Amino acid sequence: MSFEARLRDIVGANHVITDGDLSAWELDWRKRWRGRARAVVRPASTIEVAAVVRACAAAGVALVPQGGNTGLVGGGVPDDSGTQVLLSLTRLNRVRSIDAANLAMTVDAGCVLQAVQEAAAAQQLLFPLSLAAEGSCTIGGNLATNAGGTQVLRFGNARDLCLGLEVVTAQGEVWDGLSGLRKDNTGYDLRDLYIGSEGTLGIITAATLKLYPQPAAVTTAVATPPTLESAVGLLALAQARLGAGLTGFEVMNEFSLGLVRRHFPQLTQPLAPAPWTVLLEQSDNEGAEHATALFEGLLETALERGLITDAAVAANLEQSHTMWHLRESIPLAQSLEGLNIKHDISVPVSRVAAFVAATDAALARRIPGVRLVDFGHLGDGNLHYNVQAPDGEDAAAFLRDREGEINDLVYDAVAAHGGSISAEHGVGLLKREELAQRKSPVALRTMRAIKQALDPSGLLNPGRVL
Amino acid sequence: MSFEARLRDIVGANHVITDGDLSAWELDWRKRWRGRARAVVRPASTIEVAAVVRACAAAGVALVPQGGNTGLVGGGVPDDSGTQVLLSLTRLNRVRSIDAANLAMTVDAGCVLQAVQEAAAAQQLLFPLSLAAEGSCTIGGNLATNAGGTQVLRFGNARDLCLGLEVVTAQGEVWDGLSGLRKDNTGYDLRDLYIGSEGTLGIITAATLKLYPQPAAVTTAVATPPTLESAVGLLALAQARLGAGLTGFEVMNEFSLGLVRRHFPQLTQPLAPAPWTVLLEQSDNEGAEHATALFEGLLETALERGLITDAAVAANLEQSHTMWHLRESIPLAQSLEGLNIKHDISVPVSRVAAFVAATDAALARRIPGVRLVDFGHLGDGNLHYNVQAPDGEDAAAFLRDREGEINDLVYDAVAAHGGSISAEHGVGLLKREELAQRKSPVALRTMRAIKQALDPSGLLNPGRVL
């Protein structure tokens, strides 16, 4: 039996796709990497995934696992050799069980994040992971890349929201590590090793996720700190006053919000333009009135202390949505403005202001007129520090000619401030070489030893991460 | 140069101890395992730890790392061969730095947990890990065993409180994975692999820890649910009402509290004896008055719904301490009552009541008059389900003759309820064979492959975990 026939035997002829337009699987979301798959294989169960992996292992064929294909670093599309099998997990899309009394649910890896959120909400529970691609990304991809998003300040990354995993190993065995336990110290933490390994150590087929009671009210506020340092001061004040009630703390520089004004003039901005605007989100167990009173007390103190010059608390859900909508429109406004050089970096919160001051100045010296779209999850020290060509310059040429030089400058500054060159997007293809340059040699050797131990033939997502 | 001379050369002659009474290092806290070390070596720095490891590797000598020697599973004492070096980390005891604005601190592995808590408190910050041995256990040991304790419900296990590690590898290299970052997706999660590996994959020499703002008030309450099921119902209600404000939820059966009354008659128990008593702890960002009002509202609703029959809210700090003191006196009261068979198990919160009902009944059938000291962290599904000989029976003989049979019964029940045989104490020597029997073969193979990859000569804490 040929290799393709064996695959058809496992998943059914309809689910082994070799002809026609495969760009839904072969082209990444940013349209930056276009590969060519030997076949797209769409198993419907963990058993089928395991059988596909065994067939690939027997034939020495490499596998690239893919969820919603929304990754930003080229980790989920095949290379252009035409030899790799693209393993799409999207048919594994059942919510297996919800245990409300244990605040846990078990779902297939191919479930779309939003479907997971909705299944929890149907039980009056909260699955807090939230990010821009939630309408199409899958929970398996979220876990494989340890996705971040807007709720990390309170609930942590995808890693922190996972109690257990089911994984198909490189040998095609199924590890049933699904678990509803909050405490389990029986051996090495395989769960967290697979999480964030971008499909290079095993294929996540299901996960048990943490749920939370839904808060009684969620409300937002915006405020304008005179400097980025005062924004960090406001964060500390908000954390002390609201504790775990502070569920979001985003920052946007004036150029980011200016782009939103330019490209989405219909969106109302609640405060006058200022160098920095922050968005605070509070989740309250008592109710909207209590939340608003806490917000008002907090912002009053911040005004008195000079940490902010102006503020507005959302009076209702619609105003809350408007505030978030402004923040979430930045990436699109930025795209409409033209290509740019994206960074997903983090530094300790205490060093964010110094990092931005130093890096802004160095870039301005190097590239007069450079424009910086600087926004992100300040509460986590995570900035999308994006660099746009000077007004009037050709954006495509700028990206082509200056990306390497700008990355060097930005990543050197990140390193100097104790930061990471990939906060929440992963390594994939995009940052693999950078990682090999910048990660400690001991860490790289340890990572390679683990890869060699778990996937000695190197068939799982080769050429990614390491 | 002899091996011992080489060690003296590295750490100084005073810190290589081969003669005299070594029981402080060779005998475990429970006095269950007494080994014999070739030498006790006490390095003072990471550099010295690395040099000791290289010397051991060159000589083919195995190493057993040890912190405060408070472990409960025999993971930190040498075997009785007289060939192993006992590596004591207690001289690595500096708080390296505290970054209040980043809510993080970096400490040496040998820092005593209480010293870490106090260093945070001196900056008006909270390091929430808290457990019975905190006056003598070290943070390195806490991380090597992924310790739990009383604050897991809100803050997670030791793993969840760690941002980064410094580790000496089996090859004697130093991995500087210290980090103040909340988000970092640059490669495999080595941090969490070392955490909980009980010194078998590398030696933790320092850690960056998460800190939190101190709450404005911490207050406690006790309540008597008529059944364990109602206790779980109270937990759900408290989680919905208090959210992250609920920082502790402990349960004690009547026999546990009866032992406290018998052995510590001077301690006042606030409520009349009942089958189950729960202790709730609330940490509040607004203040004691707000916390008390929330507690009273919660307990009133619980009374109305029949989830509890009686309750008392601590009126002041002293009453809070008394409530915790009762809970914390159970292990000692139990020791005074005589030897017993200890279990540190977890099941999903939703299955705790069914597990206890089934296991209590099965034990009572098998051993008429058996006494169960059942208490623990109900919020995490973690019970110390301890079995005491029937009144009047010889406790030592009971332990000797029936431990195997009772463990089988309890662990079979744990497995049937989707639980873990080691929730927060680790595997060590005590549960190694049980783990080999009960863990999935795929997980065991994966763990062994990792051990082989990272410590191919098997010199780090041999015979533990795997």
Side-chain angles (χ1 to χ4, degrees), chain A residues 25-28 30-36 64 69 71-81 84 145 197-198 200 403 407 411 421-422 425-436 461-466, chain B residues 185:
Chain A
W25 299 282
E26 290 179 336
L27 178 64
D28 84 301
R30 289 175 70 185
K31 303 196 182 352
R32 225 182 135 154
W33 297 274
R34 180 187 289 278
R36 203 158 55 80
V64 178
N69 194 15
L72 298 173
V73 292
V77 288
D79 68 18
D80 57 10
S81 67
Q84 301 180 327
T145 59
S197 69
E198 304 186 27
T200 64
E403 183 172 25
N407 284 353
Y411 292 154
I421 63 166
S422 180
H425 294 168
V427 176
L429 285 171
L430 180 65
K431 297 183 183 171
R432 182 189 172 209
E433 282 175 33
E434 205 69 53
L435 194 77
N461 220 2
R464 319 305 160 99
V465 184
L466 285 172
Chain B
N185 279 349

Side-chain angles (χ1 to χ4, degrees), chain A residues 46-133:
Chain A
T46 302
I47 299 295
E48 289 185 10
V49 173
V52 170
V53 172
R54 287 195 302 272
C56 287
V61 172
L63 276 156
V64 178
Q66 186 184 85
N69 194 15
T70 62
L72 298 173
V73 292
V77 288
D79 68 18
D80 57 10
S81 67
T83 63
Q84 301 180 327
V85 162
L86 188 291
L87 185 75
S88 169
L89 278 296
T90 55
R91 289 180 70 220
L92 279 73
N93 60 2
R94 282 178 316 132
V95 173
R96 295 195 189 174
S97 63
I98 301 187
D99 182 350
N102 193 43
L103 293 175
M105 70 193 295
T106 299
V107 301
D108 283 351
C111 285
V112 169
L113 173 54
Q114 192 173 320
V116 175
Q117 296 165 345
E118 288 169 358
Q123 309 270 326
Q124 280 76 54
L125 294 170
L126 172 73
F127 180 63
L129 187 68
S130 179
L131 45 95

Side-chain angles (χ1 to χ4, degrees), chain B residues 12-316:
Chain B
N14 285 342
H15 299 296
V16 178
I17 311 167
T18 52
D19 302 318
D21 179 10
L22 303 186
S23 59
W25 299 282
E26 291 179 336
L27 177 64
D28 84 300
W29 186 84
R30 290 175 68 184
K31 302 195 181 353
R32 228 184 132 150
W33 296 274
R34 179 187 288 281
R36 203 157 55 79
R38 175 164 177 176
V40 171
V41 181
R42 303 179 67 236
S45 68
T46 302
I47 299 295
E48 290 186 8
V49 172
V52 169
V53 172
R54 287 196 301 274
C56 287
V61 172
L63 275 157
V64 178
Q66 186 184 86
N69 193 16
T70 62
L72 298 172
V73 292
V77 288
D79 68 17
D80 57 10
S81 67
T83 63
Q84 300 181 328
V85 162
L86 188 292
L87 184 76
S88 169
L89 278 296
T90 55
R91 288 180 69 219
L92 279 76
N93 60 2
R94 282 178 315 132
V95 173
R96 294 194 189 175
S97 63
I98 301 186
D99 182 351
N102 193 42
L103 293 174
M105 70 193 293
T106 298
V107 301
D108 282 353
C111 284
V112 169
L113 173 53
Q114 192 174 317
V116 175
Q117 296 165 344
E118 287 169 358
Q123 309 270 326
Q124 281 74 53
L125 293 170
L126 173 72
F127 180 63
L129 187 68
S130 179
L131 46 93
E134 62 196 25
S136 48
C137 64
T138 63
I139 191 68
N142 297 147
L143 290 165
T145 60
N146 188 28
T150 60
Q151 303 286 296
V152 173
L153 180 60
R154 160 66 182 106
F155 297 103
N157 298 287
R159 174 186 312 289
D160 303 290
L161 295 169
C162 180
L163 293 170
L165 290 180
E166 181 187 83
V167 171
V168 172
T169 69
Q171 293 73 38
E173 298 184 300
V174 179
W175 171 51
D176 178 1
L178 296 171
S179 160
L181 303 176
R182 256 67 186 176
K183 284 181 171 173
D184 180 13
N185 279 349
T186 52
Y188 303 157
D189 182 11
L190 303 181
R191 176 192 66 201
D192 286 311
L193 188 60
Y194 289 118
I195 293 176
S197 69
E198 304 186 27
T200 65
L201 298 179
I203 296 165
I204 296 170
T205 51
T208 310
L209 306 172
K210 282 188 201 170
L211 301 176
Y212 291 83
Q214 283 184 329
V218 179
T219 184
T220 57
V222 287
T224 47
T227 64
L228 194 48
E229 255 180 321
S230 8
V232 173
L234 176 64
L235 171 65
L237 182 66
Q239 287 178 307
R241 288 281 184 92
L242 308 180
L246 183 69
T247 45
F249 196 96
E250 301 284 309
V251 71
M252 304 160 269
N253 74 348
E254 164 49 18
F255 183 65
S256 314
L257 283 176
L259 287 183
V260 174
R261 278 196 301 279
R262 181 182 302 176
H263 296 285
F264 303 104
Q266 71 281 17
L267 293 181
T268 317
Q269 300 202 357
L271 298 178
W276 298 95
T277 300
V278 299
L279 188 165
L280 302 91
E281 183 189 85
Q282 185 189 176
S283 298
D284 196 285
N285 302 303
E286 294 175 60
E289 207 173 319
H290 183 251
T292 302
L294 278 179
F295 251 157
E296 286 172 353
L298 166 70
L299 295 168
E300 207 167 294
T301 306
L303 274 165
E304 283 163 20
R305 295 190 188 168
L307 292 172
I308 56 174
T309 55
D310 198 4
V313 178
N316 50 45

